[in-house]
Amino acid sequence: MNPIGLVFDSQFCETGLVPPVPVTAGRLASLLLAQLDGSPLERPAYASLATAVRTLAVDGRLGQDVRLPSERDLSTAMGLSRTTVTRAYAELIADGWARAQQGAGTFLRIPGSVGHAASPLVPLDGVEVDLTAAAVSCVPGTSALIERAMADLPALLRGKGYQPVGLPRLREVIAERYTRRGLPTTPDQVVVTSGAMSAIAVVLRAQVRRGDRVAVETPTYASVLGAVPAAGARVVALPAGPRSVWDADAVRATVRASTPSLAYLIPDFHNPTGELMTDEARAGTAAALRAGGTLALVDESLVDLRLDPGPMPLPFGVHSPEAFAVGSVSKPLWGGVRVGWVRCPTTQVAAVQAARLTLDIGASALDQLVAAEFLAHPDELLGLRLEALRTMRTAWLDALAAVAPTWDVREPTGGLALWVGLPERVAPELAAAAATRGVGLAVGTQFTSDGSARERVRLPLTATLEDVDAVARLLVTAYDEVVTRGTAATRRPFPLIA
Ligand SMILES: Cc1ncc(COP(=O)(O)O)c(C=O)c1O
């Protein structure tokens, strides 16, 4: 199994919810040897060993707070002198990558929480510039919207406040939006949740049985890589095509080989790549899934974030009436309004409602008022949101063109991020180097189930950076340093994804 798969099976629970699993000397030695790709440690050996441990932490193979093996056990397992391991641990501690607890051992610490294990939304330690999360802050006018929404509060206060499937007004507005986009929908088909992540969890609960497989794109929204195992299912990677995340032939082959019960897709301004699935690819993918008996779970969280003018393809559900769709106001409005939803196929409404009740018994009533007000009249605030994202897109593109002309930087037509290709496969090492300079970076491997995308970093359009040029320069300096210092493992040539 790939190394990242192992993380999700055994260590993904290091979201802070479950105590982290200690890593044995044998396991750490095998991860380190795989990382070194058969090459001997460069001199000085202790520094190379410390770098290799940092790299495993950054790309998620070792989680936050994992207890490292004793120096003696690791030196035996690696065939290294005890002094080398002792000095490597000392360097990790001195640099803030580990902490020693008397009598208990040495524990990994990930500055900037750049590993899989921690959510990018958890406040970061020692990070001045946080590029890990693609999450928006509010545009001007949001407070006024919230005040308008609260005008409907007195009527609500007369009821019990619980709305297990959602406020009727909100369900109506959401259904109208689908119908306007070309997918006729009734309010009964809408189940309101506390955000899109909760909507995804509800569909997994309703549809997935222990041991099932769930297919995901490569790359995909990182949190889904944890949600699927948490639902008792296994992640199966849908391979990317040569020019796009989506390749209907690859979907057909994967579905035939792995028979997943569900396929999670982000066709609209895909996170992290920003790609938009064409109508043709939607039709082809829907047909490939149907042929294999796999249901689609379509995440439309980013559908409103079109940055350039142009027509939108029809919703995926038009090609796949049996698909589930999830959406949210987190990206167009604000993640602090915890409202999302599932649009259910008519045959699955009861199952989704029942699953939703086992998770919690309703989203916040006040948040639902705000979401309904926003979704009924989104244009003004959405216009400001898109303008801010465009400004940031231009700033990143200009800054990177000036200092990183060899990096693969494509202009996304929508979404919240740039999916940047580095000339060499050193994104985890780059993130480690950036973290020591106070910059938290999301690396490609965090978004893949198979450990691929070591050559990618995701740069958010949501960062409010005073000086994008300075941050771009810092990243390039860190990159050059990593490549100059490079090992055989990091210097291997690689094909860019697209
Ligand atoms: C594709 C995608 N789906 C779901 C979510 C989570 O959204 P919410 O805040 O509504 O739970 C995100 C947030 O980054 C996302 O990018």
Side-chain angles (χ1 to χ4, degrees):
M1 192 201 280
N2 68 72
I4 300 296
L6 286 171
V7 170
F8 288 117
D9 281 354
S10 64
Q11 294 186 344
F12 188 82
C13 42
E14 288 141 35
T15 48
L17 301 175
V18 179
V21 187
V23 59
T24 63
R27 166 112 181 94
L28 182 54
S30 73
L31 287 171
L32 288 165
L33 293 173
Q35 164 66 23
L36 295 166
D37 206 24
S39 314
L41 286 172
E42 286 188 2
R43 309 236 142 245
Y46 75 87
S48 302
L49 183 61
T51 300
V53 171
R54 277 194 286 263
T55 301
L56 293 176
V58 164
D59 71 9
R61 284 174 283 172
L62 290 177
Q64 182 77 284
D65 289 329
V66 157
R67 192 177 77 224
L68 298 174
S70 73
E71 292 157 11
R72 194 187 54 200
D73 288 352
L74 186 60
S75 59
T76 308
M78 293 281 295
L80 293 170
S81 80
R82 176 104 173 252
T83 318
T84 299
V85 178
T86 304
R87 289 189 69 185
Y89 278 19
E91 180 174 302
L92 290 168
I93 292 166
D95 290 352
W97 284 81
R99 66 187 162 81
Q101 198 174 316
Q102 207 162 17
T106 306
F107 295 82
L108 201 68
R109 235 185 114 257
I110 311 179
S113 294
V114 282
H116 274 292
S119 161
L121 299 171
V122 174
L124 303 179
D125 244 6
V127 160
E128 288 152 43
V129 177
D130 178 10
L131 304 180
T132 57
V136 300
S137 48
C138 286
V139 294
T142 307
S143 299
L145 171 102
I146 293 172
E147 277 165 28
R148 282 199 303 282
M150 287 308 125
D152 292 333
L153 184 59
L156 259 195
L157 294 179
R158 287 194 283 277
K160 293 197 176 64
Y162 290 110
Q163 303 284 348
V165 290
L167 277 182
R169 169 79 191 122
L170 176 60
R171 297 171 80 202
E172 262 167 41
V173 177
I174 293 168
E176 276 162 21
R177 277 166 50 96
Y178 279 109
T179 304
R180 247 195 335 272
R181 286 174 55 208
L183 183 62
T185 301
T186 62
D188 295 350
Q189 286 176 266
V190 176
V191 175
V192 174
T193 60
S194 306
M197 195 58 217
S198 156
I200 292 164
V202 166
V203 175
L204 291 172
R205 254 174 214 230
Q207 287 301 314
V208 164
R209 299 287 153 262
R210 191 155 285 281
D212 276 7
R213 283 169 290 273
V214 174
V216 301
E217 294 143 342
T218 310
T220 187
Y221 172 45
S223 296
V224 163
L225 296 173
V228 170
R234 293 221 325 262
V235 168
V236 174
L238 292 169
R243 271 178 299 283
S244 160
V245 179
W246 302 290
D247 180 338
D249 290 339
V251 172
R252 192 166 292 108
T254 307
V255 162
R256 198 178 302 131
S258 311
T259 58
S261 49
L262 217 56
Y264 169 81
L265 306 168
I266 316 169
D268 304 293
F269 310 120
H270 178 262
N271 182 6
T273 66
E275 280 185 52
L276 179 64
M277 196 192 275
T278 61
D279 278 310
E280 194 189 347
R282 286 170 201 242
T285 305
L289 293 177
R290 192 172 311 113
T294 301
L295 294 177
L297 164 53
V298 182
D299 187 336
E300 302 182 325
S301 299
L302 299 146
V303 68
D304 292 315
L305 302 183
R306 171 155 211 131
L307 297 178
D308 296 324
M312 279 297 286
L314 287 169
F316 192 91
V318 171
H319 304 283
S320 175
E322 62 282 4
F324 297 87
V326 299
S328 153
V329 295
S330 294
K331 304 304 173 186
L333 179 63
W334 188 42
V337 177
R338 298 304 305 150
V339 172
W341 57 86
V342 184
R343 180 201 179 273
C344 312
T346 45
T347 52
Q348 301 288 348
V349 174
V352 170
Q353 288 184 350
R356 196 256 179 278
L357 282 170
T358 65
L359 188 68
D360 63 19
I361 43 180
S364 152
L366 306 191
D367 287 20
Q368 292 188 68
L369 289 179
V370 175
E373 178 68 21
F374 171 68
L375 292 172
H377 312 285
D379 291 348
E380 188 191 333
L381 296 193
L382 189 55
L384 293 174
R385 158 84 50 243
L386 297 179
E387 206 176 294
L389 293 173
R390 275 187 216 109
T391 303
M392 201 59 205
R393 180 178 63 170
T394 306
W396 271 126
L397 291 173
D398 290 351
L400 292 171
V403 296
T406 58
W407 292 15
D408 179 20
V409 187
R410 312 267 167 99
E411 184 166 1
T413 54
L416 291 176
L418 297 183
W419 183 237
V420 172
L422 306 170
E424 301 210 27
R425 302 173 70 241
V426 293
E429 292 82 359
L430 168 60
T436 59
R437 291 168 167 83
V439 176
L441 201 58
V443 303
T445 47
Q446 291 175 281
F447 300 88
T448 61
S449 56
D450 57 4
S452 60
R454 275 186 68 85
E455 73 287 6
R456 294 276 174 180
V457 292
R458 187 189 70 175
L459 299 179
L461 304 179
T462 53
T464 42
L465 298 181
E466 276 172 23
D467 193 345
V468 180
D469 294 327
V471 175
R473 274 199 306 276
L474 181 146
L475 293 179
V476 170
T477 306
Y479 173 82
D480 289 344
E481 206 179 280
V482 162
V483 171
T484 310
R485 189 184 69 204
T487 64
T490 61
R491 307 292 309 248
R492 245 177 298 146
F494 69 97
L496 281 177
I497 282 175

